[in-house]
Amino acid sequence: MRVAFYTLGCKVNQYETEVLSARFAAEGFDVVPGHAPGCDVYVVGSCTVTAEGDRKTRQAVRRFRRENPGAIVVLTGCYPQAFPREAAAVTEADIVTGALGRAALPQLVKDFSLDHQRVVNIPKHEKGEDFESCSAADFGVRTRAFLKIQEGCDNWCSYCIIPAARGPVRSKPMPELQSELLTLARNGYREIVLTGINLSNYGREWGLHLSDAVLAAAATPGVERVRLGSIEPDLLTPQEIYRLAEGCGGKLCPQFHLSLQSGCDATLRRMNRHYDTTQYRAVAEAVRKSFPGAALTTDMMVGFAGETEVDHQESLQFAREIGFAKIHAFAYSQRPGTRAAQMDDPVPYEEKTRWLGELLPRPIKSAAARNSSLWPPSCEKPPSPPCWGKPSWYCSKAAGSRAAPATPPITPPSPSATPPPTPATSARCCSPPSPPMPTAAREFSPTDFRRLSRKILFRISCSLAGAADQPTNS
């Protein structure tokens, strides 16, 4: 049977889709890239961070049913786990499962193809549950490999339903992490993106920290660049930042997505965030001190329950002060089952829309000014950002970040296989990057064209910003 996947949401969802596609392939299914018509099975990986995510999930399920009436439609992921009754009511889905036990999905699909009995199987999260063993060896045409190292969240922010969808904090054991890193490197992936639901909590069960996972990735032969997913600022200590800067041999990409949500302390308290703007500012300064020229990105929410015009202006001012390179801004949407759903004083939709429009342009100007101030004054024109001092192969997007594997993709080693050395004993951890691995020749695709266009536009904008900073001749 031909199976296609449609995934909404975060990098964790994308990683889990790759794991699922590998399991379907191992069970004899023909995995089709994208979501082309005419497939026998469609698997929708849902997102429930916002009400809009729920709407898009239901829309996708119904579209696949309408366009492919004879296909088996599967709904899985965060939406069914957080709202099982709502998800079960989406009758266009033949199989409904949550964020647990998805290894059984191929068998559920086979069973349904025989008996045509609808399946709704959404087990609940349990306190102390283990990290579900999973690994991905290949990401198709992607040049970056995602690696989920952490699952769950215990923060229970007042607006967020994710702890209900993803369960308690748990982490991928270090031997499994090292084994998967080695597999990805052998399959030609030079750039690894470490992801998780609350990434900063990695390893707390065993007294480890996020930096241990980053150092393990940097120490893996063949891995030349490591990126991080979204980070909670209250868990990123100065010691962790220093260790990341000094221990990775220049392999950690200096781009940090520090989730902010609001730049107003009163709003942060109502959100039950575990930091204030003073702490956030200190973390941002520590990152920029340890990683000169680092890009800071963030998430910001407008229109939270009880937020006033004064609160909004305070949040705007703080965003301007930090000077983010990019902001993912969105309007607050009420989530049933959260504490914020019981709060009074909702913000009118029109007000949210206006605030959202005010938030988006401001940080862009601040980021341009901050980036231009980082250019050396002696330069007649700005150097090509953002990889100063790095070899050309490190920065090039046109060549891609994936080397051609010498052999076909390999499967993850067995648990008994000897893992690579631990970060504490690896001499490679603090050594400079190894020479570039050769890239395979390929045709110039539409994706390459889009990437090159973005790169050219970015350099033009940097040049214009640099010209604006040059003194004029009077």
Side-chain angles (χ1 to χ4, degrees):
M1 287 191 289
R2 288 158 50 88
V3 57
F5 294 85
Y6 182 81
T7 305
L8 296 120
C10 63
K11 294 181 178 66
V12 171
N13 283 1
Q14 296 174 35
Y15 171 87
E16 291 171 344
T17 294
E18 297 300 332
V19 173
L20 271 179
S21 64
R23 286 175 174 169
F24 270 88
E27 292 292 329
F29 289 81
D30 181 15
V31 178
V32 178
H35 41 278
C39 291
D40 304 297
V41 184
Y42 288 92
V43 180
V44 178
S46 61
C47 172
T48 193
V49 171
T50 64
E52 180 66 8
D54 293 348
R55 186 193 67 81
K56 289 181 177 179
T57 295
R58 293 189 295 267
Q59 183 184 57
V61 170
R62 289 164 180 159
R63 183 176 76 248
F64 289 133
R65 168 58 65 221
R66 181 177 64 254
E67 296 176 353
N68 306 274
I72 300 172
V73 180
V74 179
L75 172 58
T76 185
C78 293
Y79 175 50
Q81 192 71 48
F83 304 106
R85 291 185 180 179
E86 278 188 29
V90 183
T91 55
E92 292 84 356
D94 301 306
I95 300 173
V96 182
T97 66
L100 288 174
R102 283 182 280 184
L105 262 182
Q107 188 58 48
L108 291 177
V109 171
K110 289 181 179 179
D111 293 343
F112 182 87
S113 67
L114 297 175
D115 58 27
H116 298 284
Q117 295 296 313
R118 189 171 191 253
V119 176
V120 179
N121 181 26
I122 309 173
K124 294 183 178 180
H125 287 289
E126 301 289 342
K127 186 176 181 180
E129 65 185 71
D130 293 329
F131 186 91
E132 185 178 7
S133 180
C134 59
S135 61
D138 188 77
F139 287 81
V141 297
R142 291 183 181 273
T143 58
R144 295 173 183 167
F146 299 130
L147 203 168
K148 186 178 84 170
I149 66 173
Q150 187 275 336
E151 177 69 280
C153 182
D154 296 333
N155 284 357
W156 290 101
C157 299
S158 63
Y159 57 84
C160 187
I161 198 65
I162 293 305
R166 287 291 183 166
V169 168
R170 52 216 190 271
S171 307
K172 184 185 287 285
M174 182 59 75
E176 290 185 24
L177 169 59
Q178 293 172 323
S179 176
E180 189 169 355
L181 284 165
L182 188 60
T183 298
L184 292 170
R186 286 177 175 172
N187 285 346
Y189 290 97
R190 296 188 297 168
E191 181 170 341
I192 307 295
V193 183
L194 301 180
T195 69
I197 299 301
N198 191 339
L199 189 61
S200 306
N201 266 317
Y202 174 78
R204 78 176 191 184
E205 309 98 304
W206 317 297
L208 298 178
H209 300 278
L210 175 60
S211 58
D212 293 296
V214 177
L215 295 183
T220 303
V223 173
E224 302 298 343
R225 187 189 297 176
V226 182
R227 289 182 184 267
L228 293 174
S230 180
I231 304 171
E232 291 294 308
D234 56 305
L235 298 173
L236 195 61
T237 64
Q239 294 80 6
E240 281 282 279
I241 296 170
Y242 177 81
R243 193 177 182 208
L244 291 172
E246 296 299 318
C248 294
K251 292 185 177 182
L252 179 61
C253 184
Q255 185 266 317
F256 297 86
H257 190 89
L258 301 175
S259 183
L260 175 60
Q261 303 305 339
S262 176
C264 170
D265 287 334
T267 304
L268 289 174
R269 285 192 294 270
R270 288 196 301 275
M271 290 178 170
N272 194 37
R273 300 292 286 174
H274 300 270
Y275 55 86
D276 57 20
T277 54
T278 300
Q279 184 178 355
Y280 191 100
R281 184 185 295 106
V283 171
E285 290 174 353
V287 167
R288 285 188 165 126
K289 181 178 180 180
S290 297
F291 295 89
L296 299 185
T297 59
T298 196
D299 301 308
M300 291 189 71
M301 182 190 303
V302 300
F304 186 67
E307 188 173 6
T308 66
E309 180 69 32
V310 174
D311 296 336
H312 170 65
Q313 293 301 325
E314 184 178 334
S315 188
L316 279 180
Q317 177 58 34
F318 186 77
R320 227 174 12 246
E321 176 189 341
I322 298 298
F324 294 107
K326 183 179 181 181
I327 291 179
H328 173 223
F330 56 98
Y332 166 69
S333 61
Q334 194 178 83
R335 312 300 289 133
T338 64
R339 283 188 292 164
Q342 310 301 320
M343 292 182 179
D344 297 327
D345 200 13
V347 177
Y349 174 80
E350 295 76 12
E351 197 80 343
K352 291 181 185 179
T353 304
R354 180 174 65 82
W355 289 353
L356 193 61
E358 291 177 355
L359 174 63
L360 288 174
R362 291 176 180 267
I364 296 175
K365 296 180 181 179
S366 296
R370 183 178 297 278
N371 288 339
S372 65
S373 68
L374 292 170
W375 295 334
S378 59
C379 290
E380 295 184 2
K381 66 176 182 177
S384 299
C387 303
W388 304 332
K390 301 294 183 185
S392 59
W393 60 264
Y394 188 94
C395 307
S396 174
K397 290 186 178 181
S401 303
R402 183 182 179 185
T407 58
I410 60 175
T411 56
S414 62
S416 59
T418 304
T422 61
T425 59
S426 173
R428 188 177 167 79
C429 177
C430 295
S431 61
S434 60
M437 301 173 70
T439 55
R442 56 185 176 87
E443 295 182 357
F444 196 74
S445 68
T447 300
D448 294 324
F449 179 79
R450 288 192 295 270
R451 288 177 177 172
L452 183 59
S453 299
R454 288 195 296 267
K455 191 172 183 180
I456 292 172
L457 290 173
F458 179 69
R459 292 191 175 183
I460 291 173
S461 65
C462 290
S463 298
L464 292 175
D469 278 355
Q470 298 299 324
T472 57
N473 294 325
S474 55

